[in-house]
């Protein structure tokens, strides 16, 4: 029996925690498979779908009242699984579009966009979700829900939203035949990159790798 269905025989599938755990586990399994690079031409569409579905779970957690764990201090869930291989695989897989620009707080005025990496962000999201899953698999369901809700507000929710917007942007440019222009020097090592709209090199490569499998030929 797979980890994704392990709890189904012992817990009510209508329970909130089971539904959230199902969505989290589904995301973790899917993004691990995508990172293998077996179908690179479908990486962006698949990730768009998976991140969108994950944010549905996040929205449910965000709309839920504050979850209070049963124990005062968080039990040690054990060593964190290494995500470096996944991070590196995504960096290679998404190389033409890995670096993107993001505004962290849209309500904080006059903040310049900053560069980020899809590969780093996906690895961070996976780390947060796995941490909660360790509690869930150990039977600490309230602790798992608390962690997923807390980290949704503090890290993986905003990060997943930024990733979703970046993936949407790539597909929008491909679908509408609007090549992305090159921005010289855009890198995450920069402290700030100014107020102008930040773009990165991807047009020709993404048209070939994503556009053609989606039925869109360059020049259409």
């Amino acid at each position: 029996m797979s980890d994704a269905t392990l709890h189904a025989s012992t817990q009510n599938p209508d329970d909130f925690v089971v539904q959230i755990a199902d969505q989290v586990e589904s995301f973790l399994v899917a993004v691990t498979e995508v990172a293998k690079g077996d179908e690179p031409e479908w990486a962006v569409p698949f990730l768009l779908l998976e991140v969108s579905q994950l944010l549905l779970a996040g929205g449910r957690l965000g709309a839920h009242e504050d979850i209070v764990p049963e124990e005062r201090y968080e039990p040690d869930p054990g060593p964190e699984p290494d995500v470096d291989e996944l991070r590196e695989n995504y960096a290679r897989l998404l190389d033409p579009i890995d670096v993107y620009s993001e505004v962290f707080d849209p309500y904080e005025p006059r903040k310049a966009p900053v560069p980020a990496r899809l590969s780093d962000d996906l690895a961070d999201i996976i780390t947060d979700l796995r941490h909660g899953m360790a509690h869930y698999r150990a039977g600490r369901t309230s602790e798992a829900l608390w962690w997923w809700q807390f980290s949704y507000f503090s890290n993986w929710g905003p990060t997943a939203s930024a990733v979703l917007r970046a993936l949407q942007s790539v597909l929008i440019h491909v679908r509408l035949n609007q090549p992305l222009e090159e921005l010289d020097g855009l890198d995450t090592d920069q402290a700030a990159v100014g107020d102008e709209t930040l773009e990165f090199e991807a047009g020709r490569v993404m048209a070939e790798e994503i556009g053609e499998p989606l039925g869109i030929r360059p020049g259409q």
Side-chain angles (χ1 to χ4, degrees):
M1 186 179 294
S2 69
D3 289 336
T5 58
L6 182 61
H7 52 258
S9 61
T10 58
Q11 295 187 1
N12 186 344
D14 293 330
D15 287 349
F16 181 71
V17 64
V18 174
Q19 293 174 357
I20 296 298
D22 272 337
Q23 290 179 284
V24 168
E25 181 70 8
S26 176
F27 175 82
L28 292 173
V29 170
V31 295
T32 301
E33 287 299 312
V34 172
K36 294 177 181 178
D38 294 336
E39 297 180 281
E41 68 276 12
W42 289 105
V44 170
F46 282 158
L47 287 172
L48 179 70
L49 178 61
E50 294 303 327
V51 174
S52 297
Q53 292 177 333
L54 176 65
L55 283 170
L56 172 60
R60 296 182 68 193
L61 288 164
H64 199 283
E65 63 184 6
D66 287 348
I67 297 165
V68 179
E70 294 175 357
E71 300 183 39
R72 183 176 180 183
Y73 299 103
E74 181 186 6
D76 183 2
E80 298 283 356
D82 188 8
V83 296
D84 283 346
E85 183 177 358
L86 276 170
R87 188 193 313 273
E88 293 167 2
N89 286 347
Y90 271 118
R92 287 191 295 269
L93 185 63
L94 302 173
D95 179 52
I97 57 163
D98 194 25
V99 179
Y100 70 101
S101 60
E102 169 62 1
V103 177
F104 285 108
D105 189 343
Y107 285 102
E108 189 172 348
R110 294 179 297 280
K111 275 290 186 180
V114 296
R117 291 188 183 275
L118 289 172
S119 53
D120 288 342
D121 289 347
L122 288 167
D124 288 347
I125 295 167
I126 291 166
T127 298
D128 276 347
L129 298 179
R130 283 179 172 176
H131 186 95
M133 187 58 70
H135 286 307
Y136 181 80
R137 287 174 175 158
R140 299 185 292 267
T141 55
S142 67
E143 195 74 42
L145 276 180
W146 169 81
W147 173 258
W148 284 327
Q149 185 187 59
F150 167 76
S151 56
Y152 168 75
F153 287 124
S154 63
N155 188 44
W156 74 259
T159 302
S161 295
V163 168
L164 180 66
R165 287 193 299 274
L167 296 171
Q168 283 177 325
S169 179
V170 171
L171 287 182
I172 287 169
H173 281 280
V174 170
R175 294 276 182 152
L176 299 183
N177 194 24
Q178 298 173 347
L180 294 166
E181 297 177 0
E182 180 178 357
L183 178 69
D184 290 333
L186 176 60
D187 199 344
T188 52
D189 293 335
Q190 294 171 261
V193 290
D195 294 321
E196 297 180 358
T197 301
L198 300 179
E199 296 180 328
F200 44 85
E201 182 178 3
R204 180 185 60 80
V205 176
M206 297 317 296
E208 293 177 356
E209 295 185 358
I210 296 177
E212 290 183 10
L214 294 177
I216 303 169
R217 292 185 177 88
Q220 279 189 329

